Amino acid sequence: MSLFQRSRRPRAAPRERLVMDMRDTVVYAIGDVHGCHDELRALEQKIVLDAQQFRGRKIIIMLGDYADRGPNSRRVIEHLMAPAPKGFLRVCLAGNHEVALLNYLDGYLSREPWLGYGGRETLFSYGVDPDRLASLYASGEIDARIREAIPASHIDFLRTLPVMVCSEQFVFVHAGIRPGVALEEQDEDDLLNIREAFFQAAHRLDRWVVHGHTIVDAPLRDGRRIDIDTGAFRTGRLTALRIVGKYGRLLSSRD
């Protein structure tokens, strides 16, 4: 059964796709955070120290999935809404879990599938116990109270997240890209959810694709894709990939 329900409400506009010139730029891509605020702060501190050896522009690219599963979704979102570390720019991409949260709030996704998808932990971080609400209110009132609990500024932030950053040699995206389709024509659902078709064509990609979405025991380079989702909410290990020119180095919140 699909998690996504039909609705008469109009769909949101397509998310922005950014083009970046990576010359004279140090990029730190960070994998799926999933409510792991402490791990994100620890990793950012290591990035700041690591970056002291470089001049030029410094950019942190977050690969999506800030909410759900882990304990502190609210604090993660608030942290990402705040200014980046001094001397850095920060770009936060959308992940499928941000889209699922918005789909629930907008009425495209019903409550129980969303809670099972990780939304329960997100609500706990906002001080909401959905089981307690269910014991007190009818279904429509439960949804109304949940929507009231999530600040409008957080919702606005999630709505504005771009879905991809690309340069001449790299693509940064949450899940991956569909092989054989031009970047400007990629379907947004693929960028947020694709797996097998992308994995099978990893050796035929014309750019390096840095992504998360699929948990790996250790950062994985397969063909020209690099997966840095190390399952922080399970392992306590949040991973970043530093890229300078054609060279990369991994950093971890636990090293």
Side-chain angles (χ1 to χ4, degrees), residues 206-218:
D206 63 358
R207 308 184 201 202
W208 291 96
V209 179
V210 182
H211 68 98
H213 185 57
T214 299
I215 296 175
V216 287
D217 292 333

Side-chain angles (χ1 to χ4, degrees), residues 36-51:
C36 295
H37 177 261
D38 292 346
E39 289 80 357
L40 176 58
R41 292 295 302 273
L43 184 56
E44 274 194 354
Q45 291 172 6
K46 293 184 178 182
I47 288 171
V48 169
L49 289 174
D50 182 78

Side-chain angles (χ1 to χ4, degrees), residues 5 15 48 89 91 116 176 178 220 226 252:
Q5 313 294 316
R15 292 180 178 271
V48 169
L89 300 173
V91 177
R178 184 162 294 278
L220 174 67
I226 304 173
S252 171

